[in-house]
Amino acid sequence: MGEDKVAAAEQLAERYRSLVEHTPDAICVHERGVVVYVNPATVRLLAADSVDDVIGKPLTQFIHPSSVPGMLDRISHLTTQGAAADPAEITLVRADGVLMPVEIVSVLTPWHDHLAYQVVIHDLTAQRHAEAAQRLAEQHFTTVVSQLEEGVVVIDPDGRIESANPAAMRVFGSDESDDALIGKTIQSLPLTLLDANAQPLAPTRHPIARTLATGETITGFVFGVDRPDGHRRWLSGSSRLLNPGDPRSSAVSSFADITEFRASRRQLEYQATHDSLTGLANRSLVLSQLAGALATSENLPVSTVLFIDLDGFKAINDTLGHAIGDTVLQIVAQRLQRALRGDDIVGRLGGDEFLVLLSGGTRRVDIDALVARLRSTMAEPIIARGHRIEVNASIGVTALAVGDRRTPEAVLHDADLAMYRAKPSGHREGTVSLGRRPNNTHAS
């Protein structure tokens, strides 16, 4: 029975030696500061030519001096067989002089008829390279993000700002040199959020809140911010999770400042639909509004169309020049706007022709009174650059009805005919009375 135990023990020892010899981790044994055993992995790790280059050498020959005190302290606490030190990182010195970061675990273990220190060594070179590459990538990423014209903000799952790049600081009106935004929630920022229509936008309706709640990726969301300094900025943003597979992932919101673009687009839209001289709606916009009214099946938004022509306007241009003619048109436009309701639409068709779309239901008696008032308003003298100018207006009226099948152009034609019939026969070419008022160069 004793022989069987010895055989089993020898067999187990052989398996252990085989395991140690073929393991990819380096294993060495040292006693009294001298290396007494190394496996092949240790020879490769130390870039030695053979086992003989390592065994019998002082252990400190292969350890960087800065790591020696810590190693000695750790093994001094190993006093009983099987005791193991906590994993520790040290720097080895290879046979070719190259320094190598490794992690070691020392164990006080039987060695022949006494105790020695067995050390398992794990090469950290690849890990350190990976960590360095990650740090470099993070530095590059941070540099790129910090240089972006787009604002970038990272929000944690609890809605607090984790980071914000300089562009975001500028957009929000914060000092780029401090962490004024970090750690704050959207609700606590000194900003007022607005939707695309400039109405207050609750933070819970902001895309970043939706992304955090649902994981949804949102792009092309237009919103505004009113800053503490009184400036309003318009932004086009997107939001997405940083790590979609993580239920506690933060979200990143990026946004471009489109304030100038939005203002430019609105200006272009305004210029395309308004008369440049008077600021009134132009022919295109008036006909578009009229088309919308005619397409309504009930509760017509426009009840009546007025076609207004200035009598004798050509004589003003021919006699006094186009600059004064333009001033007259501008004053007429102002008078029309003041004489009508805010819901009524006043437009200039071109030249001295104006079109008015009266909103809501209007009785004929009210129309007649309005026409008389407009004629009286138009007839009031205009003082332009010292000239006293009197012009009259001919006004044609055509009413709209529910189910009206006319096109906008047909309505315009009917209103034009009504205006022509309303024009006094003796004034078909119009009349103009000119006079001088010295010392007065202002239009009224």
Side-chain angles (χ1 to χ4, degrees), residues 197-388:
N197 297 314
Q199 298 301 308
L201 175 67
T204 54
R205 289 180 49 224
H206 190 276
I208 199 74
R210 286 171 52 190
T211 295
L212 286 171
T214 67
E216 176 184 2
T217 295
I218 301 171
T219 60
F221 187 91
V222 175
F223 65 102
V225 290
D226 280 345
R227 305 190 319 196
D229 60 8
H231 288 89
R232 174 174 293 178
R233 310 305 296 177
W234 288 102
L235 311 171
S236 176
S238 63
S239 62
R240 55 180 49 82
L241 292 179
L242 277 177
N243 302 298
D246 182 1
R248 290 288 295 170
S249 171
S250 297
V252 58
S253 175
S254 59
F255 41 85
D257 191 329
I258 60 170
T259 306
E260 283 71 24
F261 170 78
R262 183 180 172 101
S264 175
R265 187 182 68 179
R266 286 184 176 274
Q267 181 64 22
L268 290 174
E269 291 173 350
Y270 181 87
Q271 292 173 350
T273 57
H274 289 76
D275 176 51
S276 60
L277 177 64
T278 64
L280 298 179
N282 63 13
R283 182 187 186 94
S284 174
L285 180 57
V286 170
L287 290 180
S288 174
Q289 296 290 332
L290 184 55
L294 291 170
T296 305
S297 59
E298 56 184 17
N299 296 326
L300 283 174
V302 175
S303 63
T304 310
V305 176
L306 307 181
F307 194 110
I308 302 174
D309 178 76
L310 302 183
D311 299 331
F313 181 75
K314 183 177 183 300
I316 297 174
N317 279 337
D318 293 344
T319 306
L320 303 177
H322 288 279
I324 290 181
D326 288 347
T327 299
V328 170
L329 291 175
Q330 291 171 334
I331 294 173
V332 167
Q334 294 168 6
R335 289 181 176 180
L336 284 173
Q337 288 179 304
R338 287 197 299 265
L340 296 165
R341 299 165 298 181
D343 293 339
D344 299 329
I345 298 173
V346 185
R348 181 186 175 208
L349 298 179
D352 61 341
E353 296 178 338
F354 298 84
L355 200 70
V356 175
L357 307 183
L358 297 179
S359 65
T362 308
R363 298 178 302 171
R364 182 65 203 191
V365 64
D366 295 329
I367 295 296
D368 293 340
L370 174 62
V371 169
R373 187 170 73 253
L374 289 177
R375 283 179 178 151
S376 176
T377 299
M378 295 298 103
E380 293 177 5
I382 295 174
I383 307 303
R385 299 187 182 184
H387 296 281
R388 178 186 174 90

Side-chain angles (χ1 to χ4, degrees), residues 20-21 23-27 39-46:
V20 169
E21 289 290 315
T23 183
D25 279 336
I27 297 176
N39 67 346
T42 304
V43 176
R44 294 191 298 270
L45 183 70
L46 295 176

Side-chain angles (χ1 to χ4, degrees), residues 63-77:
I63 299 178
H64 191 272
S66 64
S67 298
V68 171
M71 180 201 69
L72 295 177
D73 179 66
R74 285 188 295 275
I75 64 177
S76 69
H77 292 84

Side-chain angles (χ1 to χ4, degrees), residues 12 16 28 53 61 74 93 112 152 160 164 167 178 187 208 223 327 330 385 392 404 409-410 423 426 443:
L12 181 60
Y16 177 75
C28 78
D53 293 334
Q61 178 177 328
R74 285 188 295 275
V93 181
H112 298 298
V152 179
R160 297 187 181 278
D178 64 21
Q187 293 92 325
I208 199 74
F223 65 102
T327 299
Q330 291 171 334
R385 299 187 182 184
N392 294 314
D404 201 318
E409 289 77 11
K423 188 182 292 288

Side-chain angles (χ1 to χ4, degrees), residues 1-264:
M1 190 67 176
E3 294 178 357
D4 292 339
K5 288 183 178 180
V6 171
E10 291 177 350
Q11 186 178 22
L12 181 60
E14 182 60 31
R15 288 178 180 175
Y16 177 75
R17 281 192 295 271
S18 178
L19 176 63
V20 169
E21 289 290 315
H22 294 93
T23 183
D25 279 336
I27 297 176
C28 78
V29 178
H30 64 90
E31 57 178 337
R32 291 185 293 275
V34 177
V35 179
V36 295
Y37 170 80
V38 292
N39 67 346
T42 304
V43 176
R44 294 191 298 270
L45 183 70
L46 295 176
D49 292 331
S50 67
V51 172
D52 295 337
D53 293 334
V54 182
I55 291 180
K57 300 296 194 310
L59 178 65
T60 54
Q61 178 177 328
F62 305 102
I63 299 178
H64 191 272
S66 64
S67 298
V68 171
M71 180 201 69
L72 295 177
D73 179 66
R74 285 188 295 275
I75 64 177
S76 69
H77 292 84
L78 305 181
T79 58
T80 59
Q81 179 177 324
D86 293 332
E89 294 183 13
I90 68 170
T91 301
L92 290 186
V93 181
R94 301 193 324 181
D96 56 7
V98 174
L99 303 182
M100 174 180 292
V102 296
E103 181 182 71
I104 64 170
V105 175
S106 299
V107 181
L108 188 60
T109 185
W111 179 254
H112 298 298
D113 58 351
H114 52 275
L115 297 177
Y117 299 102
Q118 177 177 285
V119 184
V120 179
I121 310 169
H122 177 66
D123 186 2
L124 296 178
T125 304
Q127 180 178 330
R128 291 292 180 265
H129 286 167
E131 292 171 351
Q134 182 176 352
R135 285 194 299 271
L136 182 61
E138 290 174 350
Q139 291 172 357
H140 286 172
F141 177 77
T142 301
T143 301
V144 169
V145 170
S146 67
Q147 298 301 316
L148 287 177
E149 290 298 322
E150 273 194 335
V152 179
V153 178
V154 177
I155 310 287
D156 71 17
D158 298 319
R160 297 187 181 278
I161 296 175
E162 291 183 338
S163 64
N165 72 342
M169 296 289 195
R170 291 193 297 270
V171 168
F172 294 154
S174 298
D175 187 349
E176 294 181 41
S177 64
D178 64 21
D179 295 330
L181 302 181
I182 309 305
K184 293 186 177 180
T185 63
I186 296 177
Q187 293 92 325
S188 66
L189 295 180
L191 303 168
T192 300
L193 298 180
L194 308 169
D195 64 18
N197 297 314
Q199 298 301 308
L201 175 67
T204 54
R205 289 180 49 224
H206 190 276
I208 199 74
R210 286 171 52 190
T211 295
L212 286 171
T214 67
E216 176 184 2
T217 295
I218 301 171
T219 60
F221 187 91
V222 175
F223 65 102
V225 290
D226 280 345
R227 305 190 319 196
D229 60 8
H231 288 89
R232 174 174 293 178
R233 310 305 296 177
W234 288 102
L235 311 171
S236 176
S238 63
S239 62
R240 55 180 49 82
L241 292 179
L242 277 177
N243 302 298
D246 182 1
R248 290 288 295 170
S249 171
S250 297
V252 58
S253 175
S254 59
F255 41 85
D257 191 329
I258 60 170
T259 306
E260 283 71 24
F261 170 78
R262 183 180 172 101
S264 175

